Amino acid sequence: MNYKMIIEYDGTRYEGWQKQKHSDETLQGKIEKAFEKVTGENVQIIGAGRTDSGVHAKGQVANVHLPYDLNAENLKNELNEILPDDIYIKQCIEVEEKFHSRFHAKSKIYEYNLRIGSNKDVFQKRFIWQFAKPLCIEKMKRAAEILQGTHDFTAFCNNKHFKKSAVRTVYSIEISTSNDILHLRFCGDGFLQGMIRIMVGTLVEVGENKRDADSLYDVLKSKQRSNAGFTAPPQGLTLISVQY
């Protein structure tokens, strides 16, 4: 049986989604251990997005195959009783056997939040980059338009050993403000390791007048990580949803 889950988590204390040989502090690892306690089965959880260390999710999608049929709602409740308080399975349903949370995803939406006002909120520090400097929003919007569309995003990838195609389609980048918080919402068919945080860092450099918006044309063409901006800190980034 194949079960699809929608999961939210505070990624602050985890070393990313993907299970690692030398770390027990990954989200995939924690959820797989919870499954083993509940079902007695050693399973593999397949996540739609491999969020980095410190990155959060409101709508991560994952699926898992079990050798027998269980009540999905009861399974969800038993797992939530075991999981730590910063991981929560919002929904669990039985789906067709061929469903694959990563390969079947059509698009993903991420949001990055940073504070541009001088006041800090200590209760939001785990979910917002406390940048605390003014930015030229209009220049950032101009630069964001250049990043939209289908491009080779090699210059925006933190994985030096990435050998697959780095071509991705960014459907939209929406930039808005509420009070002193700047919101950047990214929708695309997929994102490379660190891609969104590098795009945020690059857009911030444009907003600080440290680079011209039009320079992003050359950055994309160069396919050189060193030509793009810095990697923004992880706490401002959240996976909002995955579309199928």
Side-chain angles (χ1 to χ4, degrees):
M1 299 299 171
N2 193 10
Y3 295 88
K4 173 188 173 184
M5 297 168 286
I6 299 178
I7 308 167
E8 69 177 21
Y9 48 82
D10 173 354
T12 302
R13 69 185 184 95
Y14 297 102
E15 297 183 25
W17 168 268
Q18 191 169 8
K19 188 167 61 175
Q20 301 174 25
K21 291 182 180 179
H22 306 295
S23 175
D24 292 330
E25 295 303 313
T26 68
L27 292 145
Q28 182 186 16
K30 292 290 185 184
I31 299 170
E32 286 181 356
K33 284 185 178 180
F35 261 92
E36 186 172 4
K37 289 181 180 179
V38 170
T39 68
E41 299 292 332
N42 186 4
V43 300
Q44 180 184 14
I45 306 296
I46 303 167
R50 297 173 180 175
T51 52
D52 294 335
S53 175
V55 174
H56 318 294
K58 290 185 178 179
Q60 171 73 283
V61 177
N63 71 288
V64 60
H65 291 272
L66 292 174
Y68 45 78
D69 192 7
L70 291 174
N71 180 283
E73 187 68 16
N74 290 342
L75 176 61
K76 182 194 79 169
N77 292 336
E78 290 183 45
L79 290 168
N80 282 329
E81 287 181 5
I82 294 172
L83 287 167
D85 290 341
D86 48 9
I87 304 174
Y88 178 63
I89 299 174
K90 299 164 68 174
Q91 182 187 81
C92 180
I93 59 172
E94 189 173 330
V95 292
E96 57 186 10
E97 279 295 309
K98 65 180 182 179
F99 173 79
H100 193 288
S101 60
R102 182 156 53 95
F103 294 153
H104 291 166
K106 300 297 184 183
S107 63
K108 299 170 187 174
I109 296 176
Y110 284 83
E111 185 169 280
Y112 195 98
N113 295 314
L114 63 152
R115 187 178 301 282
I116 54 178
S118 58
N119 295 326
K120 293 185 178 181
D121 186 336
V122 297
F123 297 105
Q124 291 184 314
K125 66 180 181 179
R126 294 168 69 169
F127 307 102
I128 291 179
W129 176 20
Q130 305 275 18
F131 183 70
K133 297 177 185 177
L135 293 168
C136 180
I137 308 302
E138 291 307 312
K139 289 184 178 180
M140 294 177 70
K141 288 181 177 180
R142 163 62 185 151
E145 291 177 358
I146 297 171
L147 293 175
Q148 293 176 163
T150 302
H151 306 286
D152 185 318
F153 283 98
T154 299
F156 293 86
C157 180
N158 271 337
N159 186 349
K160 296 179 181 179
H161 306 291
F162 189 77
K163 295 181 180 180
K164 298 180 181 179
S165 172
V167 175
R168 298 290 187 274
T169 300
V170 176
Y171 299 122
S172 63
I173 303 176
E174 300 174 2
I175 301 177
S176 61
T177 57
S178 59
N179 298 322
D180 61 348
I181 306 297
L182 181 66
H183 310 280
L184 298 97
R185 180 166 283 229
F186 299 82
C187 179
D189 63 356
F191 298 94
L192 305 170
Q193 183 176 339
M195 178 174 161
I196 294 177
R197 290 165 58 200
I198 298 169
M199 289 196 289
V200 171
T202 306
L203 291 173
V204 166
E205 289 181 359
V206 172
E208 290 186 289
N209 294 312
K210 292 182 177 179
R211 68 166 70 221
D212 294 330
D214 287 345
S215 70
L216 269 63
Y217 289 114
D218 293 330
V219 172
L220 287 166
K221 290 178 183 177
S222 75
K223 300 181 184 180
Q224 295 296 317
R225 171 67 188 91
S226 59
N227 290 331
F230 65 96
T231 304
Q235 66 268 23
L237 184 59
T238 300
L239 171 58
I240 301 298
S241 63
V242 183
Q243 286 75 46
Y244 292 90

